[in-house]
Amino acid sequence: MGRFDGRTVRYEPTSVKDLLVEMKDTAELLIDLSYSAVLHGSPTVAHEVVELEHRMDVLQLRARMSLMLAARNPNEAETLAPVLGVVGAAEKIADAAGDIAQIVTEEIGLPDAMRGALSAGVETLVRGTVAADSAYAGRTLKAIDLESVTGVRVIAVRRDEDWILNPGRDTQLRAGDVTLLRGPEGGVADVYPELSGEPFEPDPPAEPAIDDLERAVDSIVLMKNLSELAVDLAYGSVLFDNEELAEEVSNLEIEVDALQSRFEAWTLRAAAEADDPVSLRGLIHLGVATEEISDAALAITEGVRRDLDVHPVVEMAVQESDEIITRTEVAAGSDLDGAAVVDGVPATDISTSVLAIRRTGDEWLVGPDIDTTLRGGDVIISKGTRTSAEEFDALAA
Protein backbone atom coordinates (compact mmCIF):
# COMPACT_ATOMS: atom_id res chain seq x y z
CA MET A 1 0.00 0.00 0.00
CA GLY A 2 1.15 3.56 -0.72
CA ARG A 3 2.04 5.60 2.34
CA PHE A 4 1.08 9.27 2.51
CA ASP A 5 2.68 11.92 4.70
CA GLY A 6 -0.58 13.60 5.69
CA ARG A 7 -0.45 16.47 3.19
CA THR A 8 -3.55 17.18 1.10
CA VAL A 9 -3.20 16.56 -2.65
CA ARG A 10 -5.30 18.90 -4.79
CA TYR A 11 -5.77 19.04 -8.53
CA GLU A 12 -3.29 21.26 -10.33
CA PRO A 13 -3.31 21.84 -14.10
CA THR A 14 -0.32 19.71 -15.10
CA SER A 15 0.82 18.15 -18.35
CA VAL A 16 0.06 14.42 -18.29
CA LYS A 17 3.09 13.97 -20.51
CA ASP A 18 5.33 15.60 -17.91
CA LEU A 19 3.75 13.51 -15.14
CA LEU A 20 4.36 10.27 -17.08
CA VAL A 21 8.01 11.13 -17.71
CA GLU A 22 8.54 12.07 -14.05
CA MET A 23 6.80 8.89 -12.85
CA LYS A 24 9.03 6.79 -15.10
CA ASP A 25 12.21 8.48 -13.83
CA THR A 26 11.01 8.25 -10.22
CA ALA A 27 10.15 4.54 -10.51
CA GLU A 28 13.57 3.69 -11.94
CA LEU A 29 15.38 5.72 -9.26
CA LEU A 30 13.26 4.09 -6.53
CA ILE A 31 14.34 0.62 -7.62
CA ASP A 32 17.98 1.69 -7.70
CA LEU A 33 17.90 3.36 -4.28
CA SER A 34 15.93 0.64 -2.51
CA TYR A 35 18.41 -2.10 -3.43
CA SER A 36 21.34 0.17 -2.59
CA ALA A 37 19.82 0.91 0.83
CA VAL A 38 19.67 -2.83 1.51
CA LEU A 39 23.11 -3.67 0.11
CA HIS A 40 24.79 -1.00 2.21
CA GLY A 41 22.44 -1.18 5.20
CA SER A 42 21.96 2.57 4.83
CA PRO A 43 19.12 4.22 6.80
CA THR A 44 19.80 7.54 5.06
CA VAL A 45 19.33 6.08 1.57
CA ALA A 46 16.27 4.15 2.82
CA HIS A 47 14.88 7.49 4.04
CA GLU A 48 15.21 8.90 0.51
CA VAL A 49 13.24 5.88 -0.78
CA VAL A 50 10.41 6.73 1.62
CA GLU A 51 10.47 10.39 0.51
CA LEU A 52 10.40 9.39 -3.16
CA GLU A 53 7.57 6.93 -2.50
CA HIS A 54 5.53 9.80 -1.05
CA ARG A 55 6.34 11.80 -4.16
CA MET A 56 5.17 8.96 -6.40
CA ASP A 57 1.86 8.81 -4.48
CA VAL A 58 1.30 12.48 -5.26
CA LEU A 59 2.33 12.07 -8.92
CA GLN A 60 -0.03 9.15 -9.51
CA LEU A 61 -2.95 10.99 -7.89
CA ARG A 62 -2.38 14.06 -10.05
CA ALA A 63 -2.01 11.87 -13.14
CA ARG A 64 -5.33 10.13 -12.39
CA MET A 65 -7.07 13.49 -11.89
CA SER A 66 -5.72 14.83 -15.19
CA LEU A 67 -6.65 11.66 -17.08
CA MET A 68 -10.19 11.69 -15.70
CA LEU A 69 -10.66 15.27 -16.90
CA ALA A 70 -9.18 14.40 -20.31
CA ALA A 71 -11.70 11.58 -21.07
CA ARG A 72 -14.48 13.49 -22.85
CA ASN A 73 -15.96 10.63 -24.89
CA PRO A 74 -15.77 6.81 -25.24
CA ASN A 75 -12.93 6.98 -27.77
CA GLU A 76 -10.87 9.11 -25.41
CA ALA A 77 -11.61 6.71 -22.56
CA GLU A 78 -10.43 3.76 -24.66
CA THR A 79 -7.05 5.33 -25.47
CA LEU A 80 -6.57 6.66 -21.93
CA ALA A 81 -7.28 3.31 -20.22
CA PRO A 82 -3.78 1.90 -20.95
CA VAL A 83 -2.24 5.13 -19.61
CA LEU A 84 -4.14 4.61 -16.36
CA GLY A 85 -2.64 1.12 -16.29
CA VAL A 86 0.85 2.61 -16.60
CA VAL A 87 0.10 4.99 -13.72
CA GLY A 88 -1.16 2.16 -11.50
CA ALA A 89 1.83 -0.05 -12.28
CA ALA A 90 4.27 2.76 -11.45
CA GLU A 91 2.62 3.02 -8.05
CA LYS A 92 3.07 -0.74 -7.53
CA ILE A 93 6.77 -0.40 -8.36
CA ALA A 94 7.06 2.39 -5.80
CA ASP A 95 5.30 0.25 -3.18
CA ALA A 96 7.64 -2.68 -3.89
CA ALA A 97 10.66 -0.39 -3.58
CA GLY A 98 9.27 0.86 -0.27
CA ASP A 99 8.90 -2.73 0.90
CA ILE A 100 12.54 -3.39 0.03
CA ALA A 101 13.61 -0.29 1.98
CA GLN A 102 11.64 -1.62 4.99
CA ILE A 103 14.35 -4.25 5.39
CA VAL A 104 16.47 -1.33 6.63
CA THR A 105 13.91 1.09 8.13
CA GLU A 106 12.15 -1.60 10.18
CA GLU A 107 15.41 -3.40 10.93
CA ILE A 108 14.21 -6.68 9.39
CA GLY A 109 17.81 -7.19 8.42
CA LEU A 110 19.75 -9.51 6.14
CA PRO A 111 22.50 -12.02 6.90
CA ASP A 112 25.86 -10.21 6.77
CA ALA A 113 27.23 -12.87 4.45
CA MET A 114 24.34 -12.33 2.06
CA ARG A 115 24.86 -8.58 1.97
CA GLY A 116 28.54 -9.14 1.25
CA ALA A 117 27.75 -11.49 -1.63
CA LEU A 118 25.20 -9.06 -3.05
CA SER A 119 27.48 -6.07 -2.87
CA ALA A 120 30.42 -7.82 -4.54
CA GLY A 121 30.90 -6.08 -7.88
CA VAL A 122 28.21 -3.50 -7.11
CA GLU A 123 29.20 0.15 -7.11
CA THR A 124 29.01 2.10 -3.86
CA LEU A 125 26.03 4.47 -3.41
CA VAL A 126 25.99 7.12 -0.69
CA ARG A 127 23.83 10.08 0.29
CA GLY A 128 25.72 13.28 1.01
CA THR A 129 24.70 16.87 1.74
CA VAL A 130 26.71 19.61 0.01
CA ALA A 131 28.53 21.56 2.74
CA ALA A 132 28.52 25.36 2.66
CA ASP A 133 32.32 25.42 2.36
CA SER A 134 32.50 22.54 -0.16
CA ALA A 135 34.64 23.14 -3.24
CA TYR A 136 31.68 21.81 -5.26
CA ALA A 137 29.11 24.33 -3.96
CA GLY A 138 28.03 26.81 -6.64
CA ARG A 139 29.64 24.84 -9.47
CA THR A 140 28.09 22.82 -12.29
CA LEU A 141 28.67 19.09 -12.72
CA LYS A 142 30.48 19.92 -15.97
CA ALA A 143 32.91 22.21 -14.13
CA ILE A 144 33.47 19.68 -11.33
CA ASP A 145 33.87 16.84 -13.87
CA LEU A 146 33.54 14.14 -11.18
CA GLU A 147 32.85 11.22 -13.46
CA SER A 148 35.89 11.48 -15.71
CA VAL A 149 38.25 12.18 -12.79
CA THR A 150 36.90 9.81 -10.11
CA GLY A 151 34.30 7.59 -11.83
CA VAL A 152 31.66 8.90 -9.41
CA ARG A 153 28.27 10.02 -10.77
CA VAL A 154 25.65 12.26 -9.18
CA ILE A 155 22.52 10.22 -9.98
CA ALA A 156 19.98 12.51 -8.26
CA VAL A 157 19.72 15.71 -6.26
CA ARG A 158 17.06 16.66 -3.68
CA ARG A 159 16.78 20.42 -3.16
CA ASP A 160 14.32 21.15 -0.33
CA GLU A 161 11.15 19.34 -1.52
CA ASP A 162 12.14 19.21 -5.20
CA TRP A 163 14.05 16.43 -6.98
CA ILE A 164 16.42 16.65 -9.92
CA LEU A 165 16.20 13.05 -11.13
CA ASN A 166 18.52 13.23 -14.11
CA PRO A 167 21.11 15.89 -13.30
CA GLY A 168 22.99 16.99 -16.40
CA ARG A 169 26.31 18.65 -17.01
CA ASP A 170 24.75 22.10 -16.51
CA THR A 171 23.16 21.19 -13.15
CA GLN A 172 24.65 23.40 -10.44
CA LEU A 173 25.21 22.02 -6.95
CA ARG A 174 24.19 24.30 -4.09
CA ALA A 175 24.99 24.25 -0.40
CA GLY A 176 22.35 22.15 1.37
CA ASP A 177 21.59 19.98 -1.68
CA VAL A 178 21.14 16.31 -0.81
CA THR A 179 23.04 14.34 -3.46
CA LEU A 180 23.09 10.64 -4.28
CA LEU A 181 26.56 9.57 -5.39
CA ARG A 182 27.41 6.31 -7.15
CA GLY A 183 30.76 4.95 -8.20
CA PRO A 184 33.76 2.80 -7.22
CA GLU A 185 34.47 2.80 -3.49
CA GLY A 186 37.87 4.47 -3.96
CA GLY A 187 36.33 7.32 -5.94
CA VAL A 188 33.50 7.79 -3.43
CA ALA A 189 36.07 7.85 -0.61
CA ASP A 190 37.72 10.85 -2.35
CA VAL A 191 34.55 12.70 -3.37
CA TYR A 192 32.35 12.29 -0.28
CA PRO A 193 34.57 14.23 2.20
CA GLU A 194 35.14 16.98 -0.38
CA LEU A 195 31.39 17.31 -0.93
CA SER A 196 30.02 16.90 2.58
CA GLY A 197 32.92 17.83 4.83
CA GLU A 198 32.48 14.50 6.64
CA PRO A 199 34.68 11.37 6.54
CA PHE A 200 33.67 8.45 4.36
CA GLU A 201 33.11 5.21 6.26
CA PRO A 202 33.11 2.12 3.97
CA ASP A 203 31.05 -0.98 4.69
CA PRO A 204 32.82 -3.50 6.95
CA PRO A 205 33.93 -6.74 5.25
CA ALA A 206 31.28 -9.47 5.25
CA GLU A 207 31.55 -13.01 6.54
CA PRO A 208 31.78 -15.81 3.97
CA ALA A 209 28.41 -17.24 2.96
CA ILE A 210 27.23 -20.82 3.28
CA ASP A 211 26.83 -22.62 -0.05
CA ASP A 212 23.02 -22.71 -0.24
CA LEU A 213 22.84 -19.07 0.79
CA GLU A 214 25.25 -18.19 -2.01
CA ARG A 215 22.95 -19.95 -4.49
CA ALA A 216 19.95 -18.05 -3.11
CA VAL A 217 21.88 -14.80 -3.45
CA ASP A 218 22.85 -15.61 -7.04
CA SER A 219 19.16 -16.11 -7.81
CA ILE A 220 18.06 -12.85 -6.16
CA VAL A 221 20.80 -10.86 -7.93
CA LEU A 222 19.63 -12.15 -11.31
CA MET A 223 15.99 -11.51 -10.33
CA LYS A 224 16.93 -7.94 -9.45
CA ASN A 225 18.74 -7.36 -12.75
CA LEU A 226 15.95 -8.91 -14.83
CA SER A 227 13.23 -6.96 -12.98
CA GLU A 228 15.06 -3.67 -13.51
CA LEU A 229 15.45 -4.52 -17.20
CA ALA A 230 11.75 -5.45 -17.42
CA VAL A 231 10.78 -1.99 -16.12
CA ASP A 232 13.02 -0.29 -18.70
CA LEU A 233 11.57 -2.39 -21.52
CA ALA A 234 8.00 -1.95 -20.30
CA TYR A 235 8.21 1.82 -20.46
CA GLY A 236 9.99 1.58 -23.78
CA SER A 237 7.23 -0.64 -25.20
CA VAL A 238 4.55 1.89 -24.19
CA LEU A 239 6.40 5.04 -25.19
CA PHE A 240 7.29 3.61 -28.61
CA ASP A 241 4.22 1.34 -29.03
CA ASN A 242 6.57 -1.59 -29.60
CA GLU A 243 5.03 -5.08 -29.40
CA GLU A 244 8.44 -6.81 -29.60
CA LEU A 245 9.63 -5.04 -26.44
CA ALA A 246 6.35 -5.93 -24.71
CA GLU A 247 6.93 -9.57 -25.63
CA GLU A 248 10.41 -9.45 -24.10
CA VAL A 249 8.88 -8.08 -20.86
CA SER A 250 6.62 -11.13 -20.81
CA ASN A 251 9.66 -13.40 -21.32
CA LEU A 252 11.46 -11.65 -18.46
CA GLU A 253 8.49 -11.98 -16.12
CA ILE A 254 8.33 -15.74 -16.80
CA GLU A 255 12.07 -16.03 -16.08
CA VAL A 256 11.76 -14.06 -12.82
CA ASP A 257 8.90 -16.35 -11.69
CA ALA A 258 11.08 -19.40 -12.36
CA LEU A 259 14.01 -17.82 -10.53
CA GLN A 260 11.81 -17.07 -7.53
CA SER A 261 10.91 -20.75 -7.22
CA ARG A 262 14.61 -21.68 -7.19
CA PHE A 263 15.37 -18.81 -4.83
CA GLU A 264 12.75 -20.03 -2.33
CA ALA A 265 14.15 -23.57 -2.46
CA TRP A 266 17.74 -22.43 -1.82
CA THR A 267 16.60 -20.12 0.98
CA LEU A 268 14.75 -22.93 2.75
CA ARG A 269 17.82 -25.17 2.45
CA ALA A 270 20.02 -22.38 3.80
CA ALA A 271 17.68 -22.00 6.80
CA ALA A 272 18.54 -25.55 7.84
CA GLU A 273 22.23 -24.60 8.04
CA ALA A 274 21.91 -21.08 9.45
CA ASP A 275 22.63 -20.42 13.13
CA ASP A 276 19.59 -18.10 13.20
CA PRO A 277 17.00 -18.98 10.49
CA VAL A 278 14.99 -15.85 11.39
CA SER A 279 17.88 -13.81 9.98
CA LEU A 280 16.77 -15.00 6.51
CA ARG A 281 13.43 -13.19 6.85
CA GLY A 282 14.79 -10.11 5.07
CA LEU A 283 16.00 -12.26 2.19
CA ILE A 284 12.49 -13.66 1.68
CA HIS A 285 11.08 -10.12 1.93
CA LEU A 286 13.50 -9.02 -0.80
CA GLY A 287 12.53 -11.91 -3.10
CA VAL A 288 8.80 -11.20 -2.86
CA ALA A 289 9.21 -7.47 -3.57
CA THR A 290 11.54 -8.15 -6.51
CA GLU A 291 8.99 -10.47 -8.11
CA GLU A 292 6.29 -7.79 -7.64
CA ILE A 293 8.41 -5.35 -9.65
CA SER A 294 8.49 -7.71 -12.64
CA ASP A 295 4.71 -8.23 -12.33
CA ALA A 296 4.21 -4.45 -12.39
CA ALA A 297 6.43 -4.17 -15.46
CA LEU A 298 4.22 -6.69 -17.26
CA ALA A 299 1.11 -4.68 -16.25
CA ILE A 300 2.61 -1.56 -17.87
CA THR A 301 2.66 -3.34 -21.25
CA GLU A 302 -0.99 -4.47 -21.19
CA GLY A 303 -2.20 -1.81 -23.63
CA VAL A 304 0.54 -2.66 -26.12
CA ARG A 305 -0.08 -6.39 -25.84
CA ARG A 306 -3.81 -5.84 -26.40
CA ASP A 307 -3.01 -3.67 -29.44
CA LEU A 308 -4.83 -0.62 -28.05
CA ASP A 309 -4.08 2.73 -29.67
CA VAL A 310 -1.54 4.92 -27.94
CA HIS A 311 -2.96 8.20 -26.67
CA PRO A 312 -1.37 11.34 -28.18
CA VAL A 313 -0.06 12.36 -24.76
CA VAL A 314 2.26 9.34 -24.82
CA GLU A 315 3.42 10.18 -28.34
CA MET A 316 4.26 13.70 -27.11
CA ALA A 317 6.43 12.21 -24.37
CA VAL A 318 8.26 10.08 -26.96
CA GLN A 319 8.99 13.03 -29.23
CA GLU A 320 11.10 14.59 -26.47
CA SER A 321 13.14 11.43 -25.95
CA ASP A 322 16.68 11.56 -27.32
CA GLU A 323 17.20 7.83 -26.76
CA ILE A 324 15.09 4.82 -27.61
CA ILE A 325 15.19 1.19 -26.48
CA THR A 326 15.21 -1.41 -29.24
CA ARG A 327 15.15 -5.18 -29.67
CA THR A 328 17.48 -6.53 -32.37
CA GLU A 329 18.05 -10.14 -33.43
CA VAL A 330 21.55 -10.94 -34.69
CA ALA A 331 21.48 -12.83 -37.98
CA ALA A 332 24.10 -15.54 -38.56
CA GLY A 333 26.91 -14.16 -40.70
CA SER A 334 25.94 -10.53 -40.10
CA ASP A 335 28.44 -7.83 -39.14
CA LEU A 336 27.46 -8.22 -35.48
CA ASP A 337 27.96 -12.01 -35.48
CA GLY A 338 31.30 -12.36 -33.68
CA ALA A 339 31.48 -8.71 -32.52
CA ALA A 340 32.79 -8.21 -28.98
CA VAL A 341 30.81 -6.34 -26.34
CA VAL A 342 32.97 -4.30 -23.99
CA ASP A 343 31.49 -2.17 -21.18
CA GLY A 344 28.04 -2.58 -22.69
CA VAL A 345 29.05 -1.15 -26.07
CA PRO A 346 29.61 -3.29 -29.18
CA ALA A 347 33.01 -3.10 -30.85
CA THR A 348 31.61 -0.98 -33.70
CA ASP A 349 31.59 2.74 -34.47
CA ILE A 350 27.92 3.06 -33.43
CA SER A 351 27.05 4.66 -30.08
CA THR A 352 24.55 2.03 -28.97
CA SER A 353 24.64 0.63 -25.42
CA VAL A 354 23.76 -3.03 -24.91
CA LEU A 355 21.48 -3.44 -21.88
CA ALA A 356 20.97 -7.20 -22.14
CA ILE A 357 21.35 -10.23 -24.40
CA ARG A 358 18.92 -13.15 -24.58
CA ARG A 359 20.51 -16.31 -25.96
CA THR A 360 19.00 -19.46 -27.40
CA GLY A 361 17.55 -21.44 -24.52
CA ASP A 362 16.43 -18.21 -22.78
CA GLU A 363 19.78 -17.53 -21.11
CA TRP A 364 19.91 -13.85 -20.12
CA LEU A 365 23.09 -11.75 -19.86
CA VAL A 366 22.21 -8.50 -18.11
CA GLY A 367 24.07 -5.44 -16.91
CA PRO A 368 26.51 -2.74 -17.91
CA ASP A 369 29.51 -5.04 -17.44
CA ILE A 370 28.56 -7.58 -20.12
CA ASP A 371 31.77 -9.01 -21.53
CA THR A 372 30.95 -11.46 -24.31
CA THR A 373 30.96 -12.02 -28.04
CA LEU A 374 27.71 -11.69 -29.97
CA ARG A 375 26.42 -14.75 -31.82
CA GLY A 376 23.90 -15.36 -34.55
CA GLY A 377 20.48 -15.84 -32.94
CA ASP A 378 21.22 -13.50 -29.99
CA VAL A 379 18.41 -11.08 -29.17
CA ILE A 380 19.94 -7.76 -28.10
CA ILE A 381 18.15 -5.18 -25.97
CA SER A 382 19.93 -1.87 -26.55
CA LYS A 383 19.61 1.86 -26.00
CA GLY A 384 20.72 4.59 -28.36
CA THR A 385 19.63 7.40 -30.65
CA ARG A 386 17.10 6.72 -33.41
CA THR A 387 19.84 7.03 -36.03
CA SER A 388 22.21 4.67 -34.26
CA ALA A 389 19.35 2.18 -33.73
CA GLU A 390 18.69 2.07 -37.49
CA GLU A 391 22.40 1.55 -38.21
CA PHE A 392 22.61 -1.13 -35.51
CA ASP A 393 19.68 -3.01 -37.07
CA ALA A 394 21.42 -2.88 -40.43
CA LEU A 395 24.58 -4.40 -38.95
CA ALA A 396 22.55 -7.20 -37.37
CA ALA A 397 20.64 -8.05 -40.54
Side-chain angles (χ1 to χ4, degrees):
M1 295 293 292
R3 288 170 284 279
F4 291 89
D5 54 7
R7 287 174 287 191
T8 302
V9 180
R10 302 185 186 280
Y11 172 73
E12 296 178 5
T14 310
S15 162
V16 176
K17 170 185 69 68
D18 292 341
L19 286 170
L20 284 175
V21 171
E22 189 170 357
M23 290 183 77
K24 171 186 176 294
D25 292 342
T26 302
E28 291 172 346
L29 181 59
L30 269 165
I31 295 172
D32 205 11
L33 293 188
S34 62
Y35 283 109
S36 292
V38 170
L39 298 188
H40 303 294
S42 172
T44 55
V45 175
H47 170 76
E48 297 303 331
V49 173
V50 174
E51 290 297 312
L52 268 176
E53 191 184 1
H54 291 159
R55 182 175 183 81
M56 180 68 93
D57 288 334
V58 173
L59 288 172
Q60 66 91 11
L61 269 178
R62 286 182 176 158
R64 290 180 191 278
M65 293 173 185
S66 298
L67 290 169
M68 289 172 70
L69 288 171
R72 294 165 296 209
N73 54 58
N75 288 336
E76 282 283 320
E78 184 176 303
T79 57
L80 286 171
V83 185
L84 274 172
V86 173
V87 170
E91 185 186 10
K92 289 179 181 177
I93 291 171
D95 290 345
D99 289 342
I100 291 171
Q102 278 183 348
I103 295 172
V104 176
T105 58
E106 297 186 9
E107 298 183 357
I108 297 173
L110 289 171
D112 289 340
M114 179 257 172
R115 182 177 289 116
L118 266 177
S119 57
V122 176
E123 289 183 311
T124 299
L125 186 147
V126 296
R127 169 189 181 271
T129 302
V130 180
D133 59 351
S134 170
Y136 302 149
R139 299 173 64 192
T140 64
L141 294 179
K142 178 181 179 180
I144 298 169
D145 200 19
L146 283 181
E147 190 165 0
S148 64
V149 176
T150 66
V152 176
R153 304 182 301 282
V154 179
I155 64 172
V157 177
R158 179 164 60 82
R159 183 170 293 157
D160 297 324
E161 299 298 323
D162 297 323
W163 281 85
I164 303 173
L165 298 179
N166 290 302
R169 293 172 61 81
D170 295 330
T171 300
Q172 185 184 72
L173 297 182
R174 302 176 186 173
D177 282 353
V178 176
T179 64
L180 296 166
L181 307 173
R182 159 159 282 161
E185 188 173 287
V188 172
D190 292 335
V191 171
Y192 184 80
E194 187 73 17
L195 178 134
S196 67
E198 300 175 355
F200 172 68
E201 298 178 357
D203 294 335
E207 300 173 2
I210 56 180
D211 289 344
D212 287 330
L213 185 56
E214 285 185 343
R215 295 185 183 100
V217 168
D218 288 344
S219 296
I220 197 69
V221 168
L222 187 52
M223 284 172 65
K224 167 190 174 293
N225 291 339
L226 294 182
S227 294
E228 287 178 328
L229 177 62
V231 172
D232 275 344
L233 296 189
Y235 280 113
S237 73
V238 172
L239 293 178
F240 308 113
D241 193 22
N242 188 314
E243 292 184 20
E244 289 184 335
L245 291 182
E247 182 62 30
E248 291 302 337
V249 175
S250 179
N251 291 333
L252 284 165
E253 195 272 338
I254 292 170
E255 180 66 16
V256 171
D257 283 348
L259 279 168
Q260 188 187 27
S261 295
R262 295 199 288 273
F263 160 75
E264 289 172 347
W266 291 124
T267 303
L268 290 171
R269 290 182 180 179
E273 302 177 52
D275 294 334
D276 180 15
V278 176
S279 67
L280 301 181
R281 179 177 163 228
L283 186 57
I284 296 171
H285 197 87
L286 185 61
V288 171
T290 301
E291 198 270 336
E292 287 174 353
I293 290 173
S294 71
D295 288 346
L298 185 62
I300 289 173
T301 67
E302 183 177 14
V304 178
R305 289 183 289 113
R306 293 182 182 276
D307 199 24
L308 299 177
D309 291 334
V310 176
H311 192 273
V313 72
V314 178
E315 294 178 340
M316 290 169 62
V318 174
Q319 290 169 2
E320 295 190 3
S321 175
D322 293 328
E323 291 186 318
I324 63 173
I325 295 177
T326 56
R327 172 190 181 278
T328 306
E329 185 167 351
V330 178
S334 68
D335 289 339
L336 286 186
D337 188 359
V341 178
V342 181
D343 295 331
V345 180
T348 69
D349 294 330
I350 296 177
S351 57
T352 296
S353 298
V354 174
L355 302 178
I357 301 169
R358 179 166 61 82
R359 302 222 130 128
T360 304
D362 288 335
E363 175 194 0
W364 283 91
L365 305 174
V366 186
D369 56 348
I370 298 173
D371 182 10
T372 189
T373 299
L374 299 176
R375 312 173 188 163
D378 282 351
V379 173
I380 303 173
I381 307 300
S382 59
K383 180 184 288 187
T385 64
R386 295 174 188 276
T387 301
S388 65
E390 292 172 359
E391 294 174 352
F392 193 64
D393 280 342
L395 287 175

